Amino acid sequence: MNPFFPPSWLGILGGGQLGRYFSQAAQDLGYPVCVLDPDEDSPAGKIAQKFIRADYLNEVGLAEFAKTCVAASTEFENVPAKVLDWLIEQNVYVAPISQPVSIAQNRTAEKAFLSNCANKTGIQTAPYCLITRPEDCKSIATEMFPAILKTTRLGYDGKGQKTVKGSQELENAWVELGQVECILEKKLNLAFEVSAIVARAFDNEVAIFPIAQNEHRNGILHLSIVPAPSLTEEQKNEILEATKIIIRELDYVGVLCVEYFVLGDGTLIVNEIAPRPHNSGHHTLDSCFTSQFEQQVRTLARLPLGKTDLIQPVVMLNLLGDIWFDKNNQMIQPAWDKVLSIPSAKLHLYGKTEPKLARKMGHINFLADNIESAKSDAILAMEILGIPIE
Ligand code: ADP
Ligand code: MG
């Protein structure tokens, strides 16, 4: 398989911030980029050489996309799998392909796949069961509670999830979630959470980024710290090996994120996979030799993978739309000048025109000689921006 060189066009389905960074990375390597996204205010659409504003199932838009690009990837997790298959029929090189993407799009298939991998990785999923009928809510063993009910499809940033303490709450929660197919997962006592981002090339070469330790608030990523300060060397090696096994077992070409939980007694649990670059890998834009987005471009263009070494310890702070609003809910402009007076801060804003509560608007990477110092700079920025410290 030959590589694609510029001026061949690369395409990206989905035009959010992930698509924007994909586009920038492709453009840095000399490729023109075509973005397809339904949203007029698409962060990637604004910078791409060509922006097709269309729904993912719009035939006219897709035909134009297929005519433009020699190769295409996705940034939006829920691009219908059949769209990827259709692009392949049009002779567009697609990575990742629909089969692994559809596993990641369905929590039931995803958990089954990850449990299956446990034979090889030695890392289990949380105990879980399927909820598809009202009677499923009644027959749950008491040791499963407290538990988290998660919709099988379309959940992200903690959406489509409810914590339940017993059967009655479960029944109510399932009704609230619209009685769609769900999985019920035992709620574990997490000591901390980590993620590993890995890339695999068409020739089976694999490269993995340093593991990030992640703190969430209200189900949304708040901070990523790299290298992960709480992991033992042994846990780190186990996760790196498991992640490489998972990407190979999936026969996946592209960039993949695998999320893990670490329990109080040190047990590792594999949580979920994301078939694309991940928010917890945004630090790589400034901290690593190759960013996760350049790696995505390389996998798509059938180029060798870039080296993933961490150049400096880093803390990434997510910026949500909340900081554009004061206590009286009046719109304000965050004090970027003050933030940028912190020497370790690399500010990234995604160019979204409408700040909304909980909407991801940007992030800041703090690069320092050690994570303590990066973290104290992150806290300083949180004070400046009015983000609660705890
Ligand atoms: P999403 O697709 O929204 O990221 P996740 O399954 O990753 O869904 O859940 C979001 C967050 O909820 C996790 O990062 C973790 O903090 C918490 N969580 C999810 N599952 C469990 C569990 N089984 N036990 C404890 N906490 C969990
Ligand atoms: Mg998650």
Side-chain angles (χ1 to χ4, degrees):
M1 287 229 246
N2 293 326
F4 302 112
F5 290 135
S8 297
W9 283 70
L10 301 182
I12 185 88
L13 294 164
Q17 58 270 22
L18 301 175
R20 182 176 169 104
Y21 285 116
F22 168 89
S23 302
Q24 289 175 348
Q27 289 165 344
D28 282 347
L29 288 171
Y31 295 94
V33 176
C34 178
V35 169
L36 185 141
D37 190 286
D39 184 3
E40 190 176 17
D41 187 28
S42 155
K46 285 179 188 156
I47 64 156
Q49 276 80 356
K50 186 183 239 182
F51 174 35
I52 300 171
R53 187 189 166 200
D55 190 79
Y56 298 109
L57 289 169
N58 179 292
E59 285 176 20
V60 178
L62 282 171
E64 171 84 11
F65 184 78
K67 209 175 70 197
T68 308
C69 310
V70 295
S73 190
T74 61
E75 66 103 75
F76 174 60
E77 190 152 341
N78 290 306
V79 167
K82 65 179 177 195
V83 169
L84 301 177
D85 294 335
W86 182 83
L87 287 172
I88 291 172
E89 285 167 26
Q90 310 308 306
N91 282 322
V92 177
Y93 177 71
V94 173
I97 57 170
S98 66
Q99 204 263 346
V101 170
S102 46
I103 291 176
Q105 286 174 346
N106 180 313
R107 280 194 202 277
T108 311
E110 178 181 60
K111 288 282 183 215
F113 166 76
L114 291 172
S115 304
N116 219 15
C117 285
N119 293 332
K120 293 190 171 131
T121 62
I123 303 182
Q124 304 287 342
T125 63
Y128 73 96
C129 60
L130 200 58
I131 305 285
T132 57
R133 304 163 308 168
E135 51 270 39
D136 294 336
C137 297
K138 298 188 196 298
S139 54
I140 307 294
T142 47
E143 60 265 26
M144 270 295 276
F145 295 106
I148 304 177
L149 184 66
K150 302 181 180 180
T151 59
T152 291
R153 294 194 164 273
L154 303 175
Y156 69 99
D157 287 344
K159 293 191 176 64
Q161 298 194 9
K162 295 202 175 290
T163 299
V164 291
K165 292 193 215 71
S167 296
Q168 189 55 54
E169 277 188 30
L170 171 59
E171 280 179 54
N172 298 342
W174 192 51
V175 170
E176 280 171 47
L177 289 177
Q179 295 191 312
V180 291
E181 185 181 303
C182 284
I183 62 163
L184 184 74
E185 219 176 283
K186 186 172 169 63
K187 184 167 180 171
L188 303 170
N189 225 335
L190 312 187
F192 59 98
E193 299 184 51
V194 297
S195 57
I197 293 169
V198 63
R200 180 166 168 267
F202 72 99
D203 62 358
N204 200 29
E205 182 195 1
V206 166
I208 188 158
F209 287 97
I211 299 166
Q213 186 163 327
N214 303 320
E215 292 175 21
H216 296 84
R217 284 189 181 175
N218 304 318
I220 303 175
L221 185 65
H222 167 56
L223 278 185
S224 289
I225 308 171
V226 191
S230 311
L231 277 184
T232 64
E233 199 61 22
E234 198 182 330
Q235 288 169 330
K236 189 181 104 184
N237 291 331
E238 229 182 296
I239 289 170
L240 293 175
E241 279 320 301
T243 307
K244 290 186 214 162
I245 292 171
I246 287 169
I247 198 166
R248 289 204 163 109
E249 287 291 307
L250 261 184
D251 200 10
Y252 183 99
V253 175
V255 172
L256 178 80
C257 176
V258 186
E259 294 181 4
Y260 296 89
F261 298 150
V262 184
L263 307 186
D265 65 358
T267 308
L268 300 177
I269 296 288
V270 58
N271 176 36
E272 62 169 358
I273 54 177
R276 49 171 174 75
H278 194 257
N279 195 170
S280 65
H282 285 4
H283 70 88
T284 61
L285 285 162
D286 301 306
S287 69
C288 287
F289 195 84
T290 306
S291 79
Q292 61 171 348
F293 303 100
E294 179 180 338
Q295 206 73 303
Q296 185 184 22
V297 172
R298 285 173 181 243
T299 59
L300 185 61
R302 303 198 294 233
L303 294 166
L305 299 181
K307 77 174 175 154
T308 51
D309 304 40
L310 188 72
I311 296 166
Q312 259 200 310
V314 61
V315 169
M316 186 223 54
L317 170 69
N318 251 354
L319 302 174
L320 305 182
D322 306 45
I323 61 175
W324 272 257
F325 298 92
D326 69 11
K327 284 191 208 85
N328 304 318
N329 224 13
Q330 294 300 308
M331 189 102 112
I332 52 164
Q333 202 40 249
W336 304 126
D337 51 342
K338 295 204 177 91
V339 169
L340 287 170
S341 73
I342 304 172
S344 66
K346 295 285 282 180
L347 173 65
H348 295 255
L349 294 170
Y350 307 144
K352 296 181 183 176
T353 45
E354 202 189 340
K356 289 186 199 152
L357 296 181
R359 186 176 198 202
K360 290 176 183 169
M361 299 293 290
H363 66 270
I364 312 172
N365 290 331
F366 299 90
L367 298 145
D369 293 337
N370 54 66
I371 49 180
E372 290 72 29
S373 153
K375 186 124 191 222
S376 64
D377 285 350
I379 289 170
L380 190 59
M382 287 164 65
E383 281 164 0
I384 292 169
L385 294 170
I387 301 172
I389 305 301
E390 216 26 280

